Amino acid sequence: MVPINAEDQMFHTYTKGPWTCSPDASIFSNMQKIAECSGPGIEDKSSLANARLISAAPDLLEALQGVYESLGGECFDWSAVRAAIAKATSN
């Protein structure tokens, strides 16, 4: 994991994943709604795409941290990266 100093940690807290999105563009963690991506002036199609991308954030962060940690090694398991991309871009 990328090291974060104690001062930075105070400003980088978030609801732990996994996060999921529902067809109405709501985002959930442990069956509790944590965000909603719909509202006046936002198309339903954009709302759902935004919710999918946001719900993938914890997976994307974990995958990126894995890439960072593996840069010096000879091999990297790309499955977490592919799964995070799929989650963010799935229809």
Side-chain angles (χ1 to χ4, degrees):
M1 183 172 300
V2 178
I4 297 176
N5 65 41
E7 184 177 305
D8 286 344
Q9 186 63 40
M10 293 186 321
F11 301 105
H12 293 93
T13 58
Y14 58 89
T15 304
K16 297 295 180 191
W19 296 352
T20 58
C21 75
S22 65
D24 72 349
S26 296
I27 301 168
F28 293 85
S29 175
N30 294 320
M31 299 177 58
Q32 292 188 330
K33 186 187 279 191
I34 60 170
E36 190 173 320
C37 291
S38 59
I42 301 174
E43 293 182 32
D44 288 343
K45 198 173 183 181
S46 294
S47 295
L48 188 53
N50 293 340
R52 284 188 181 125
L53 182 58
I54 292 167
S55 72
D59 301 311
L60 293 167
L61 175 60
E62 185 177 340
L64 184 58
Q65 288 172 326
V67 170
Y68 178 83
E69 292 172 1
S70 297
L71 283 176
E74 292 183 29
C75 141
F76 177 71
D77 179 4
W78 290 100
S79 61
V81 174
R82 287 191 301 269
I85 291 169
K87 183 174 181 178
T89 60
S90 67
N91 291 321

